Short mmCIF file of all heavy atoms in Angstrom, two decimals:
data_model
loop_
_atom_site.label_atom_id
_atom_site.label_comp_id
_atom_site.label_asym_id
_atom_site.label_seq_id
_atom_site.Cartn_x
_atom_site.Cartn_y
_atom_site.Cartn_z
N ASP A 321 -28.08 -4.16 11.60
CA ASP A 321 -27.45 -5.32 12.46
C ASP A 321 -25.93 -5.25 12.38
O ASP A 321 -25.28 -5.37 13.36
CB ASP A 321 -27.91 -6.64 11.83
CG ASP A 321 -29.10 -7.32 12.49
OD1 ASP A 321 -29.74 -6.60 13.43
OD2 ASP A 321 -29.34 -8.49 12.26
N LEU A 322 -25.53 -4.89 11.10
CA LEU A 322 -24.06 -4.91 11.03
C LEU A 322 -23.53 -3.67 11.83
O LEU A 322 -22.41 -3.88 12.50
CB LEU A 322 -23.67 -4.62 9.49
CG LEU A 322 -22.30 -4.39 9.10
CD1 LEU A 322 -21.44 -5.61 9.52
CD2 LEU A 322 -22.09 -4.12 7.69
N LEU A 323 -24.20 -2.59 11.70
CA LEU A 323 -23.75 -1.40 12.49
C LEU A 323 -23.68 -1.66 14.02
O LEU A 323 -22.70 -1.34 14.73
CB LEU A 323 -24.61 -0.16 12.20
CG LEU A 323 -24.26 1.09 12.96
CD1 LEU A 323 -22.80 1.61 12.69
CD2 LEU A 323 -25.18 2.22 12.57
N ASP A 324 -24.78 -2.34 14.48
CA ASP A 324 -24.77 -2.80 15.85
C ASP A 324 -23.45 -3.54 16.28
O ASP A 324 -22.85 -3.31 17.28
CB ASP A 324 -26.00 -3.57 16.20
CG ASP A 324 -27.27 -2.77 16.18
OD1 ASP A 324 -27.10 -1.49 16.29
OD2 ASP A 324 -28.38 -3.36 16.25
N ALA A 325 -23.22 -4.56 15.37
CA ALA A 325 -22.08 -5.45 15.63
C ALA A 325 -20.77 -4.59 15.59
O ALA A 325 -19.86 -4.77 16.55
CB ALA A 325 -21.98 -6.48 14.62
N LEU A 326 -20.66 -3.60 14.70
CA LEU A 326 -19.47 -2.74 14.61
C LEU A 326 -19.28 -1.91 15.92
O LEU A 326 -18.25 -1.78 16.48
CB LEU A 326 -19.55 -1.91 13.46
CG LEU A 326 -19.43 -2.53 12.08
CD1 LEU A 326 -19.57 -1.62 10.94
CD2 LEU A 326 -18.02 -3.31 11.89
N GLU A 327 -20.50 -1.35 16.31
CA GLU A 327 -20.43 -0.42 17.47
C GLU A 327 -20.14 -1.18 18.81
O GLU A 327 -19.50 -0.65 19.72
CB GLU A 327 -21.72 0.35 17.55
CG GLU A 327 -21.87 1.42 16.50
CD GLU A 327 -23.10 2.22 16.47
OE1 GLU A 327 -24.10 1.81 17.06
OE2 GLU A 327 -23.13 3.24 15.78
N GLU A 328 -20.69 -2.40 18.84
CA GLU A 328 -20.47 -3.20 20.11
C GLU A 328 -19.08 -3.73 20.11
O GLU A 328 -18.59 -4.41 21.12
CB GLU A 328 -21.50 -4.25 20.17
CG GLU A 328 -22.94 -3.75 20.60
CD GLU A 328 -23.98 -4.72 20.27
OE1 GLU A 328 -23.68 -5.89 20.16
OE2 GLU A 328 -25.10 -4.23 20.15
N GLY A 329 -18.36 -3.74 19.01
CA GLY A 329 -17.00 -4.34 18.90
C GLY A 329 -17.07 -5.83 19.08
O GLY A 329 -16.21 -6.45 19.69
N ARG A 330 -18.27 -6.41 18.67
CA ARG A 330 -18.48 -7.80 18.94
C ARG A 330 -17.51 -8.84 18.34
O ARG A 330 -17.15 -9.82 18.92
CB ARG A 330 -19.85 -8.19 18.39
CG ARG A 330 -20.94 -8.69 19.30
CD ARG A 330 -22.15 -9.08 18.59
NE ARG A 330 -23.11 -8.07 18.46
CZ ARG A 330 -24.02 -7.98 17.50
NH1 ARG A 330 -24.10 -8.96 16.61
NH2 ARG A 330 -24.89 -7.06 17.58
N ASN A 331 -16.89 -8.48 17.17
CA ASN A 331 -16.16 -9.35 16.44
C ASN A 331 -15.27 -8.67 15.47
O ASN A 331 -15.67 -7.99 14.61
CB ASN A 331 -17.17 -10.25 15.67
CG ASN A 331 -16.48 -11.32 14.84
OD1 ASN A 331 -15.39 -11.12 14.35
ND2 ASN A 331 -17.27 -12.35 14.50
N ASP A 332 -13.90 -8.83 15.84
CA ASP A 332 -12.93 -8.14 14.98
C ASP A 332 -12.95 -8.47 13.55
O ASP A 332 -12.70 -7.73 12.70
CB ASP A 332 -11.56 -8.43 15.48
CG ASP A 332 -11.14 -7.71 16.76
OD1 ASP A 332 -11.91 -6.80 17.17
OD2 ASP A 332 -10.19 -8.07 17.37
N GLY A 333 -13.40 -9.77 13.28
CA GLY A 333 -13.57 -10.26 11.95
C GLY A 333 -14.51 -9.48 11.18
O GLY A 333 -14.32 -9.22 9.90
N ILE A 334 -15.57 -9.06 11.81
CA ILE A 334 -16.61 -8.33 11.11
C ILE A 334 -16.10 -6.94 10.69
O ILE A 334 -16.26 -6.44 9.60
CB ILE A 334 -17.92 -8.10 11.98
CG1 ILE A 334 -18.56 -9.47 12.19
CG2 ILE A 334 -18.86 -7.25 11.28
CD1 ILE A 334 -19.87 -9.44 13.01
N ALA A 335 -15.36 -6.32 11.68
CA ALA A 335 -14.82 -4.98 11.41
C ALA A 335 -13.80 -5.03 10.14
O ALA A 335 -13.82 -4.24 9.35
CB ALA A 335 -14.16 -4.44 12.62
N ALA A 336 -12.86 -6.14 10.28
CA ALA A 336 -11.96 -6.09 9.26
C ALA A 336 -12.54 -6.42 7.90
O ALA A 336 -12.16 -5.90 6.85
CB ALA A 336 -10.90 -7.39 9.64
N ALA A 337 -13.56 -7.33 7.92
CA ALA A 337 -14.26 -7.67 6.58
C ALA A 337 -15.02 -6.45 6.08
O ALA A 337 -15.01 -6.17 4.83
CB ALA A 337 -15.25 -8.80 6.77
N THR A 338 -15.60 -5.63 6.95
CA THR A 338 -16.26 -4.45 6.49
C THR A 338 -15.36 -3.50 5.93
O THR A 338 -15.57 -2.94 4.76
CB THR A 338 -17.00 -3.78 7.80
OG1 THR A 338 -17.93 -4.68 8.36
CG2 THR A 338 -17.70 -2.49 7.39
N ILE A 339 -14.19 -3.26 6.55
CA ILE A 339 -13.23 -2.31 5.96
C ILE A 339 -12.66 -2.84 4.67
O ILE A 339 -12.61 -2.02 3.68
CB ILE A 339 -12.00 -2.11 7.02
CG1 ILE A 339 -12.48 -1.42 8.24
CG2 ILE A 339 -10.86 -1.48 6.38
CD1 ILE A 339 -11.54 -1.35 9.37
N HIS A 340 -12.45 -4.13 4.56
CA HIS A 340 -11.91 -4.65 3.39
C HIS A 340 -12.88 -4.46 2.15
O HIS A 340 -12.48 -4.14 1.13
CB HIS A 340 -11.50 -6.20 3.55
CG HIS A 340 -10.93 -6.78 2.32
ND1 HIS A 340 -9.63 -6.59 2.02
CD2 HIS A 340 -11.52 -7.54 1.33
CE1 HIS A 340 -9.40 -7.29 0.89
NE2 HIS A 340 -10.50 -7.84 0.43
N CYS A 341 -14.19 -4.76 2.52
CA CYS A 341 -15.15 -4.68 1.39
C CYS A 341 -15.39 -3.35 0.91
O CYS A 341 -15.69 -3.17 -0.36
CB CYS A 341 -16.51 -5.25 1.77
SG CYS A 341 -16.39 -7.10 1.95
N ILE A 342 -15.20 -2.33 1.78
CA ILE A 342 -15.54 -0.92 1.31
C ILE A 342 -14.32 -0.29 0.64
O ILE A 342 -14.43 0.55 -0.28
CB ILE A 342 -15.96 -0.07 2.46
CG1 ILE A 342 -17.22 -0.69 3.19
CG2 ILE A 342 -16.33 1.37 1.98
CD1 ILE A 342 -17.67 0.12 4.44
N THR A 343 -13.10 -0.82 0.93
CA THR A 343 -11.89 -0.17 0.47
C THR A 343 -11.66 -0.54 -0.99
O THR A 343 -11.98 -1.68 -1.54
CB THR A 343 -10.70 -0.77 1.31
OG1 THR A 343 -11.02 -0.45 2.64
CG2 THR A 343 -9.35 -0.07 0.92
N ASN A 344 -11.00 0.34 -1.72
CA ASN A 344 -10.51 0.12 -3.09
C ASN A 344 -9.10 -0.55 -3.00
O ASN A 344 -8.17 0.10 -2.44
CB ASN A 344 -10.43 1.56 -3.84
CG ASN A 344 -9.79 1.40 -5.19
OD1 ASN A 344 -9.34 0.33 -5.55
ND2 ASN A 344 -9.90 2.50 -5.92
N HIS A 345 -8.96 -1.72 -3.61
CA HIS A 345 -7.74 -2.43 -3.43
C HIS A 345 -7.01 -2.50 -4.78
O HIS A 345 -6.08 -3.33 -4.95
CB HIS A 345 -7.92 -3.83 -2.95
CG HIS A 345 -8.64 -3.96 -1.60
ND1 HIS A 345 -7.89 -3.69 -0.42
CD2 HIS A 345 -9.86 -4.20 -1.23
CE1 HIS A 345 -8.71 -3.73 0.59
NE2 HIS A 345 -9.98 -4.03 0.10
N GLU A 346 -7.42 -1.80 -5.73
CA GLU A 346 -6.96 -1.89 -7.07
C GLU A 346 -5.40 -1.77 -7.08
O GLU A 346 -4.84 -0.85 -6.52
CB GLU A 346 -7.51 -0.65 -7.84
CG GLU A 346 -6.92 -0.35 -9.24
CD GLU A 346 -7.30 -1.46 -10.18
OE1 GLU A 346 -8.22 -2.33 -9.98
OE2 GLU A 346 -6.63 -1.51 -11.22
N SER A 347 -4.81 -2.72 -7.75
CA SER A 347 -3.31 -2.68 -7.89
C SER A 347 -2.93 -3.51 -9.11
O SER A 347 -3.71 -4.38 -9.49
CB SER A 347 -2.62 -3.27 -6.61
OG SER A 347 -1.22 -2.93 -6.63
N SER A 348 -1.71 -3.34 -9.52
CA SER A 348 -1.27 -4.23 -10.65
C SER A 348 0.21 -4.14 -10.65
O SER A 348 0.92 -3.21 -10.11
CB SER A 348 -1.75 -3.75 -12.05
OG SER A 348 -1.52 -2.43 -12.28
N PHE A 349 0.81 -5.11 -11.33
CA PHE A 349 2.37 -5.08 -11.48
C PHE A 349 2.73 -3.87 -12.29
O PHE A 349 2.11 -3.56 -13.34
CB PHE A 349 2.80 -6.36 -12.17
CG PHE A 349 2.62 -7.58 -11.34
CD1 PHE A 349 1.59 -8.42 -11.50
CD2 PHE A 349 3.56 -7.88 -10.25
CE1 PHE A 349 1.41 -9.57 -10.75
CE2 PHE A 349 3.41 -8.96 -9.43
CZ PHE A 349 2.37 -9.81 -9.67
N PHE A 350 3.83 -3.15 -11.88
CA PHE A 350 4.39 -2.02 -12.52
C PHE A 350 3.20 -0.97 -12.94
O PHE A 350 3.21 -0.40 -14.03
CB PHE A 350 5.08 -2.49 -13.80
CG PHE A 350 6.31 -3.31 -13.45
CD1 PHE A 350 6.26 -4.71 -13.68
CD2 PHE A 350 7.49 -2.80 -13.06
CE1 PHE A 350 7.32 -5.52 -13.22
CE2 PHE A 350 8.60 -3.54 -12.75
CZ PHE A 350 8.53 -4.94 -12.86
N ARG A 351 2.39 -0.77 -11.99
CA ARG A 351 1.31 0.22 -12.18
C ARG A 351 1.95 1.59 -12.33
O ARG A 351 2.78 2.01 -11.62
CB ARG A 351 0.34 0.21 -11.00
CG ARG A 351 -0.80 1.09 -10.97
CD ARG A 351 -1.60 1.00 -9.82
NE ARG A 351 -2.75 1.81 -9.89
CZ ARG A 351 -3.63 1.87 -8.91
NH1 ARG A 351 -3.51 1.26 -7.76
NH2 ARG A 351 -4.76 2.55 -9.00
N ASP A 352 1.53 2.26 -13.42
CA ASP A 352 2.17 3.58 -13.76
C ASP A 352 3.63 3.25 -14.18
O ASP A 352 4.57 3.58 -13.41
CB ASP A 352 2.15 4.61 -12.73
CG ASP A 352 0.67 4.95 -12.30
OD1 ASP A 352 -0.16 4.89 -13.14
OD2 ASP A 352 0.47 5.31 -11.13
N LEU A 353 3.88 2.66 -15.23
CA LEU A 353 5.15 2.09 -15.66
C LEU A 353 6.33 3.16 -15.60
O LEU A 353 7.35 2.83 -15.17
CB LEU A 353 5.10 1.59 -17.11
CG LEU A 353 6.31 0.99 -17.61
CD1 LEU A 353 6.73 -0.22 -16.76
CD2 LEU A 353 6.06 0.46 -19.08
N LYS A 354 5.94 4.42 -15.98
CA LYS A 354 6.96 5.47 -15.90
C LYS A 354 7.58 5.67 -14.51
O LYS A 354 8.84 5.93 -14.40
CB LYS A 354 6.38 6.75 -16.30
CG LYS A 354 6.13 6.86 -17.86
CD LYS A 354 6.28 8.27 -18.42
CE LYS A 354 6.32 8.38 -19.95
NZ LYS A 354 7.05 7.23 -20.55
N VAL A 355 6.84 5.45 -13.51
CA VAL A 355 7.32 5.56 -12.14
C VAL A 355 8.38 4.51 -11.87
O VAL A 355 9.41 4.73 -11.35
CB VAL A 355 6.23 5.48 -11.15
CG1 VAL A 355 6.79 5.47 -9.66
CG2 VAL A 355 5.20 6.63 -11.28
N PHE A 356 8.02 3.25 -12.35
CA PHE A 356 8.93 2.10 -12.05
C PHE A 356 10.25 2.28 -12.96
O PHE A 356 11.25 1.86 -12.51
CB PHE A 356 8.27 0.83 -12.30
CG PHE A 356 7.36 0.42 -11.15
CD1 PHE A 356 6.01 0.72 -11.12
CD2 PHE A 356 7.79 -0.19 -9.98
CE1 PHE A 356 5.13 0.51 -10.14
CE2 PHE A 356 6.97 -0.47 -8.92
CZ PHE A 356 5.70 -0.08 -8.92
N GLU A 357 9.95 2.89 -14.09
CA GLU A 357 11.20 3.06 -14.99
C GLU A 357 12.15 4.11 -14.24
O GLU A 357 13.33 3.91 -14.22
CB GLU A 357 10.75 3.72 -16.29
CG GLU A 357 10.22 2.58 -17.20
CD GLU A 357 9.65 3.09 -18.54
OE1 GLU A 357 9.59 4.26 -18.70
OE2 GLU A 357 9.32 2.17 -19.39
N MET A 358 11.57 5.13 -13.67
CA MET A 358 12.38 6.11 -12.94
C MET A 358 13.11 5.47 -11.68
O MET A 358 14.24 5.61 -11.39
CB MET A 358 11.53 7.29 -12.45
CG MET A 358 12.41 8.40 -11.71
SD MET A 358 11.37 9.86 -11.33
CE MET A 358 10.24 9.25 -10.08
N VAL A 359 12.21 4.56 -10.99
CA VAL A 359 12.87 3.86 -9.81
C VAL A 359 14.11 3.03 -10.37
O VAL A 359 15.10 3.04 -9.73
CB VAL A 359 11.79 3.01 -9.07
CG1 VAL A 359 12.48 2.09 -8.16
CG2 VAL A 359 10.76 3.80 -8.51
N GLU A 360 13.87 2.27 -11.43
CA GLU A 360 14.89 1.39 -11.92
C GLU A 360 16.05 2.15 -12.44
O GLU A 360 17.27 1.76 -12.21
CB GLU A 360 14.35 0.50 -13.00
CG GLU A 360 15.36 -0.44 -13.61
CD GLU A 360 14.72 -1.64 -14.42
OE1 GLU A 360 13.48 -1.49 -14.74
OE2 GLU A 360 15.42 -2.56 -14.69
N LYS A 361 15.81 3.21 -13.31
CA LYS A 361 16.90 3.82 -14.03
C LYS A 361 17.60 4.91 -13.20
O LYS A 361 18.76 5.21 -13.48
CB LYS A 361 16.45 4.31 -15.36
CG LYS A 361 16.01 3.24 -16.21
CD LYS A 361 15.67 3.56 -17.66
CE LYS A 361 15.33 2.36 -18.46
NZ LYS A 361 14.11 2.58 -19.23
N GLN A 362 16.90 5.58 -12.27
CA GLN A 362 17.51 6.79 -11.66
C GLN A 362 17.62 6.56 -10.16
O GLN A 362 18.58 6.83 -9.58
CB GLN A 362 16.63 7.92 -11.99
CG GLN A 362 16.57 8.28 -13.44
CD GLN A 362 15.66 9.48 -13.80
OE1 GLN A 362 15.58 10.50 -12.89
NE2 GLN A 362 14.91 9.46 -14.82
N MET A 363 16.43 6.21 -9.53
CA MET A 363 16.40 6.31 -8.07
C MET A 363 17.34 5.17 -7.46
O MET A 363 18.21 5.45 -6.54
CB MET A 363 14.98 6.12 -7.53
CG MET A 363 14.13 7.30 -7.70
SD MET A 363 12.60 7.04 -6.97
CE MET A 363 11.95 8.68 -7.07
N LEU A 364 17.12 3.95 -7.92
CA LEU A 364 17.96 2.80 -7.28
C LEU A 364 19.47 3.05 -7.61
O LEU A 364 20.24 2.85 -6.68
CB LEU A 364 17.43 1.46 -7.72
CG LEU A 364 16.05 1.14 -7.13
CD1 LEU A 364 15.51 -0.16 -7.63
CD2 LEU A 364 16.14 1.07 -5.57
N PRO A 365 19.81 3.43 -8.81
CA PRO A 365 21.26 3.60 -9.09
C PRO A 365 21.83 4.81 -8.11
O PRO A 365 22.91 4.68 -7.55
CB PRO A 365 21.38 4.15 -10.53
CG PRO A 365 20.19 3.42 -11.14
CD PRO A 365 19.08 3.39 -10.17
N HIS A 366 20.94 5.83 -7.91
CA HIS A 366 21.33 7.00 -7.00
C HIS A 366 21.55 6.43 -5.55
O HIS A 366 22.50 6.70 -4.90
CB HIS A 366 20.26 8.04 -7.12
CG HIS A 366 20.26 8.97 -5.92
ND1 HIS A 366 21.15 10.18 -5.92
CD2 HIS A 366 19.65 9.12 -4.79
CE1 HIS A 366 21.01 10.78 -4.83
NE2 HIS A 366 20.09 10.15 -4.12
N LEU A 367 20.55 5.53 -5.11
CA LEU A 367 20.66 5.04 -3.73
C LEU A 367 21.82 4.13 -3.65
O LEU A 367 22.60 4.22 -2.49
CB LEU A 367 19.42 4.32 -3.43
CG LEU A 367 18.13 5.16 -3.16
CD1 LEU A 367 16.89 4.33 -3.06
CD2 LEU A 367 18.41 6.14 -2.03
N HIS A 368 22.12 3.37 -4.71
CA HIS A 368 23.31 2.46 -4.67
C HIS A 368 24.62 3.31 -4.61
O HIS A 368 25.52 2.94 -3.86
CB HIS A 368 23.29 1.67 -6.01
CG HIS A 368 24.33 0.75 -6.06
ND1 HIS A 368 25.65 0.94 -6.46
CD2 HIS A 368 24.42 -0.67 -5.69
CE1 HIS A 368 26.32 -0.21 -6.33
NE2 HIS A 368 25.63 -1.14 -5.87
N ALA A 369 24.60 4.44 -5.21
CA ALA A 369 25.86 5.27 -5.18
C ALA A 369 25.96 6.03 -3.87
O ALA A 369 27.10 6.43 -3.53
CB ALA A 369 25.81 6.17 -6.43
N THR A 370 24.88 6.34 -3.24
CA THR A 370 25.00 7.27 -2.14
C THR A 370 24.83 6.62 -0.67
O THR A 370 25.31 7.17 0.32
CB THR A 370 23.92 8.46 -2.20
OG1 THR A 370 22.68 7.84 -2.35
CG2 THR A 370 24.22 9.33 -3.39
N LEU A 371 24.15 5.45 -0.57
CA LEU A 371 23.96 4.87 0.74
C LEU A 371 25.25 4.26 1.30
O LEU A 371 26.02 3.60 0.48
CB LEU A 371 22.86 3.78 0.62
CG LEU A 371 21.46 4.23 0.43
CD1 LEU A 371 20.52 3.02 0.24
CD2 LEU A 371 21.03 5.10 1.56
N PRO A 372 25.55 4.64 2.47
CA PRO A 372 26.90 4.31 2.97
C PRO A 372 27.19 2.92 3.39
O PRO A 372 28.23 2.36 3.40
CB PRO A 372 27.06 5.23 4.24
CG PRO A 372 25.66 5.55 4.60
CD PRO A 372 24.80 5.42 3.51
N ASP A 373 26.09 2.18 3.91
CA ASP A 373 26.35 0.90 4.57
C ASP A 373 25.98 -0.30 3.83
O ASP A 373 25.62 -1.44 4.54
CB ASP A 373 25.56 0.99 5.92
CG ASP A 373 26.07 2.07 6.79
OD1 ASP A 373 27.32 2.46 6.75
OD2 ASP A 373 25.20 2.66 7.47
N LYS A 374 25.76 -0.22 2.48
CA LYS A 374 25.29 -1.35 1.76
C LYS A 374 23.93 -1.87 2.34
O LYS A 374 23.85 -3.21 2.41
CB LYS A 374 26.30 -2.45 1.67
CG LYS A 374 27.55 -1.96 0.85
CD LYS A 374 28.36 -3.05 0.38
CE LYS A 374 29.42 -2.62 -0.61
NZ LYS A 374 30.08 -3.59 -1.40
N LEU A 375 23.11 -1.09 2.68
CA LEU A 375 21.85 -1.46 3.27
C LEU A 375 20.71 -0.71 2.52
O LEU A 375 20.79 0.59 2.56
CB LEU A 375 21.80 -1.14 4.77
CG LEU A 375 20.52 -1.43 5.55
CD1 LEU A 375 20.13 -2.88 5.51
CD2 LEU A 375 20.67 -0.99 6.99
N LEU A 376 19.70 -1.35 1.95
CA LEU A 376 18.74 -0.63 1.26
C LEU A 376 17.41 -1.06 1.84
O LEU A 376 17.08 -2.38 1.88
CB LEU A 376 18.70 -1.10 -0.28
CG LEU A 376 17.61 -0.49 -1.12
CD1 LEU A 376 17.60 1.00 -1.32
CD2 LEU A 376 17.54 -1.21 -2.48
N ARG A 377 16.58 -0.12 2.30
CA ARG A 377 15.33 -0.47 2.87
C ARG A 377 14.16 0.30 2.18
O ARG A 377 14.16 1.51 2.11
CB ARG A 377 15.29 -0.08 4.48
CG ARG A 377 16.39 -0.82 5.26
CD ARG A 377 16.18 -0.62 6.68
NE ARG A 377 15.11 -1.39 7.29
CZ ARG A 377 14.13 -0.97 8.12
NH1 ARG A 377 14.23 0.30 8.49
NH2 ARG A 377 13.18 -1.72 8.52
N ILE A 378 13.15 -0.45 1.74
CA ILE A 378 12.09 0.10 1.07
C ILE A 378 10.77 -0.24 1.74
O ILE A 378 10.49 -1.36 2.19
CB ILE A 378 11.96 -0.44 -0.43
CG1 ILE A 378 13.32 -0.08 -1.09
CG2 ILE A 378 10.82 0.27 -1.16
CD1 ILE A 378 13.38 -0.63 -2.55
N TRP A 379 9.84 0.78 1.90
CA TRP A 379 8.55 0.56 2.49
C TRP A 379 7.45 0.91 1.60
O TRP A 379 7.43 2.08 1.06
CB TRP A 379 8.50 1.34 3.85
CG TRP A 379 7.22 1.28 4.46
CD1 TRP A 379 6.21 0.38 4.51
CD2 TRP A 379 6.66 2.29 5.38
NE1 TRP A 379 5.18 0.63 5.24
CE2 TRP A 379 5.39 1.88 5.97
CE3 TRP A 379 7.18 3.42 5.95
CZ2 TRP A 379 4.58 2.49 6.87
CZ3 TRP A 379 6.40 4.27 6.92
CH2 TRP A 379 5.16 3.74 7.27
#
Side-chain angles (χ1 to χ4, degrees):
D321 264 9
L322 174 64
L323 179 59
D324 287 347
L326 294 174
E327 288 179 343
E328 288 162 20
R330 239 184 266 158
N331 179 331
D332 284 349
I334 297 182
T338 300
I339 291 170
H340 182 79
C341 285
I342 303 178
T343 305
N344 174 351
H345 301 284
E346 169 69 16
S347 191
S348 56
F349 292 99
F350 297 100
R351 179 179 189 179
D352 302 328
L353 183 59
K354 284 212 168 321
V355 174
F356 283 95
E357 284 174 353
M358 182 174 68
V359 169
E360 179 167 14
K361 295 188 181 136
Q362 298 176 37
M363 287 183 168
L364 289 176
H366 164 83
L367 292 172
H368 186 271
T370 53
L371 290 174
D373 300 322
K374 294 200 169 191
L375 173 65
L376 173 70
R377 300 189 75 225
I378 303 177
W379 175 22

